[in-house]
Amino acid sequence: MTATDQAEPTRREQILATAAELFAARGFHGVSVADLGAACGITGPALYKHFSSKQAVLAEMLVSISEQLLAVGRARVAAADGPADAVRALVDWHVEFALGHRPLIIVQDRDWESLPEQAREQVRRLQRSYVDLLAGQLRALRPDLTKATAHAAAQAAFGLLNSTPRAGHAISDDALRTLLADMAVAALGAG
């Protein structure tokens, strides 16, 4: 396999990606199991071979993206050359994620209440750890920041970056990538 080759997605991954697109377009409650199955080229009942329910699809979708954000974020921090580089690496990672996964951001924002409580708590824990990651690097870079201020700054930066689905239709993704990353780094005082 070459560096440009990618493995074919599994049926489960295909279902998750298709569900993200459909949920983003029509909302969680606007998509039936039959709709999701048809969009994946299977019958609605065949979906139950892969997931126990439509809520299980939503739960895996949002838990797995939160796990991915945190895992890659930790790896980027570990590879960084100091806190300023770590902040930039985290911002760049989040911009990359946001541009590549617009539907997931919409789904999390709009369909949060449809997420089962256990999954909601898991996503909250993962996202708190992700915010802690950026806040910790901000405090290392800017010792004058209190823990509360660093967390507020991290939350605000992620809010800016998560506006991606509603921004940039008039500019290219490359231009939007640069704009968002530069704005976030400047707002964090890390530039």
Side-chain angles (χ1 to χ4, degrees):
M1 182 181 295
T2 67
T4 57
D5 289 340
Q6 292 186 358
E8 285 292 316
T10 65
R11 174 64 79 180
R12 192 174 184 86
E13 291 166 339
Q14 178 197 13
I15 292 167
L16 289 169
T18 301
E21 292 287 339
L22 290 174
F23 294 169
R26 301 192 316 216
F28 177 77
H29 294 292
V31 177
S32 69
V33 170
D35 295 334
L36 183 52
C40 293
I42 59 176
T43 65
L47 187 72
Y48 295 114
K49 291 181 185 176
H50 304 279
F51 294 94
S52 61
S53 66
K54 190 172 75 163
Q55 278 191 316
V57 172
L58 181 64
E60 183 167 327
M61 179 188 305
L62 297 183
V63 169
S64 67
I65 65 162
S66 297
E67 289 170 340
Q68 180 187 11
L69 280 167
L70 182 57
V72 174
R74 285 177 172 158
R76 300 271 174 114
V77 167
D81 186 25
D85 190 41
V87 169
R88 183 63 194 219
L90 285 168
V91 167
D92 288 346
W93 158 235
H94 201 89
V95 170
E96 178 185 328
F97 174 84
L99 288 173
H101 298 88
R102 286 175 170 104
L104 292 173
I105 293 171
I106 293 169
V107 170
Q108 176 159 328
D109 186 43
R110 187 186 47 224
D111 295 316
W112 178 256
E113 292 302 319
S114 298
L115 194 60
E117 185 60 34
Q118 183 178 1
R120 206 176 311 154
E121 285 305 314
Q122 190 175 1
V123 169
R124 280 188 188 116
R125 276 192 310 275
L126 291 162
Q127 290 180 348
R128 275 193 299 270
S129 294
Y130 188 55
V131 169
D132 288 347
L133 190 62
L134 178 55
Q137 294 305 307
L138 285 173
R139 289 191 75 208
L141 179 64
R142 299 178 50 202
D144 60 304
L145 293 179
T146 65
K147 185 175 181 180
T149 301
H151 276 84
Q155 288 280 15
F158 288 139
L160 166 70
L161 301 177
N162 285 339
S163 70
T164 303
R166 295 169 284 285
H169 299 290
I171 63 175
S172 70
D173 276 2
D174 286 340
L176 184 58
R177 176 178 290 107
T178 300
L179 176 67
L180 289 171
D182 289 350
M183 288 176 68
V185 168
L188 293 168

